[in-house]
Amino acid sequence: MTSTGQPAAQQVLIAEESYRRVQGDPFFQAFYRRLLETEAPIHAKFAHTDFERQNKLLQHGVGLLFIFAKRPNPTLLARIAERHSSRDLDIPPALYPHFVESLVATVREHDAACTEEVEAAWRAAVEPGIAFMRRHYGNGAP
């Protein structure tokens, strides 16, 4: 059960339904615009980014976060964790809350059916994968 009283699998289903409603270029562009406007030192991490490609990577990554929440298999996120670790892109754990909050705020903006329950579902659905990524920052993927 999650803090909302719903089983974790139900939370992921709610987030996936919301994702189907918002998925597309306007959503991804709005997400990155919001993420890059945070006060965290994130902007420099995207200095030479091809955002067309990055949008596709984000789409794939969100899908993997949902799958990981349902079936926490480390091999699902191993490559992404290694890429974001201190040895590659160097995305420190302190930046992940900005990612999650930007994601949820963008869902709120783009999903006409967004409620507090939907927002909580998104947080619950991405949390296991985000926790995995944070744990493997210093030592990479298992």
Side-chain angles (χ1 to χ4, degrees), residues 72-135:
N73 179 346
T75 59
L76 283 172
L77 294 178
R79 187 174 51 87
I80 295 173
E82 178 62 29
R83 179 81 168 119
H84 288 78
S85 76
S86 60
R87 285 174 312 290
D88 199 341
L89 293 175
D90 192 24
I91 309 300
L95 295 184
Y96 285 99
H98 298 285
F99 170 87
V100 173
E101 291 310 311
S102 294
L103 189 61
V104 171
T106 308
V107 167
R108 187 180 316 117
E109 177 185 341
H110 288 262
D111 182 357
C114 187
T115 62
E116 288 182 18
E117 178 186 29
V118 171
E119 290 181 29
W122 270 90
R123 285 189 174 87
V126 301
E127 176 52 34
I130 295 297
F132 178 87
M133 301 280 288
R134 293 174 84 167
R135 280 193 308 273

Side-chain angles (χ1 to χ4, degrees), residues 7-138:
Q10 182 64 27
Q11 293 287 81
V12 176
L13 290 175
I14 291 168
E16 287 175 324
E17 289 171 9
S18 170
Y19 190 46
R20 280 190 285 280
R21 290 190 296 267
V22 301
Q23 195 169 293
D25 286 339
F27 175 80
F28 298 124
Q29 291 166 359
F31 164 76
Y32 280 113
R33 185 172 43 255
R34 179 174 272 111
L35 181 65
L36 294 173
E37 289 173 353
T38 65
E39 293 186 26
I42 293 173
H43 201 272
K45 300 287 184 186
F46 290 93
H48 304 288
T49 299
D50 170 359
F51 279 97
E52 187 173 321
R53 180 175 182 271
Q54 189 64 34
N55 289 347
K56 291 175 185 164
L57 291 171
L58 177 63
Q59 182 176 4
H60 179 70
V62 169
L64 289 177
L65 288 172
F66 289 159
I67 292 168
F68 188 85
K70 292 185 277 190
R71 293 181 303 278
N73 179 346
T75 59
L76 283 172
L77 294 178
R79 187 174 51 87
I80 295 173
E82 178 62 29
R83 179 81 168 119
H84 288 78
S85 76
S86 60
R87 285 174 312 290
D88 199 341
L89 293 175
D90 192 24
I91 309 300
L95 295 184
Y96 285 99
H98 298 285
F99 170 87
V100 173
E101 291 310 311
S102 294
L103 189 61
V104 171
T106 308
V107 167
R108 187 180 316 117
E109 177 185 341
H110 288 262
D111 182 357
C114 187
T115 62
E116 288 182 18
E117 178 186 29
V118 171
E119 290 181 29
W122 270 90
R123 285 189 174 87
V126 301
E127 176 52 34
I130 295 297
F132 178 87
M133 301 280 288
R134 293 174 84 167
R135 280 193 308 273
H136 295 287
Y137 169 72

